[in-house]
Amino acid sequence: WTTISGGASWQAVITADPSNAVAGYGYFCNTTGGAFNVTLPTSAAIGDEISFIDYAGTFDSNNLTVARNSHNIQGAASDLTVSIERAAFTLVYVDATQGWLLKDN
């Protein structure tokens, strides 16, 4: 047996927009108290990954918005609003044209 390295460094549960999200980190997002934004990093490099999980199953009633911070998300110049209860996903940065892409969802 061997140990697999890598993966996100998971942060404590957040209930409001932290400063900019950090590549390589995972965020348990608790929107029970209301919708909020998580802002993507100002700069990004190919392969950077950031993960998000709906901590309390409330994204359907209190959305999480992933603010793009000048980078495209899925090739579009718009923020990503997540409204699916129990959503869990990872964004990976590819380039200036596509920006952040869904790795899994």
Side-chain angles (χ1 to χ4, degrees):
W1 297 95
T2 61
T3 301
I4 298 174
S5 62
S9 175
W10 289 94
Q11 303 305 295
V13 175
I14 58 173
T15 58
D17 187 358
S19 51
N20 292 353
V22 176
Y25 284 63
Y27 297 89
F28 296 104
C29 302
N30 182 355
T31 61
T32 301
F36 64 88
N37 298 340
V38 174
T39 304
L40 292 173
T42 303
S43 60
I46 189 169
D48 283 353
E49 294 185 4
I50 302 174
S51 298
F52 305 91
I53 293 179
D54 182 0
Y55 169 82
T58 54
F59 284 2
D60 58 334
S61 56
N62 294 317
N63 302 156
L64 173 72
T65 299
V66 179
R68 67 189 198 92
N69 204 359
S70 77
H71 297 286
N72 288 342
I73 299 176
Q74 296 284 93
S78 57
D79 295 338
L80 173 65
T81 300
V82 185
S83 59
I84 305 294
E85 182 179 322
R86 293 290 179 200
F89 60 98
T90 299
L91 293 173
V92 60
Y93 187 81
V94 63
D95 61 25
T97 301
Q98 293 300 313
W100 294 92
L101 299 177
L102 285 167
K103 176 179 175 184
D104 49 42
N105 56 355

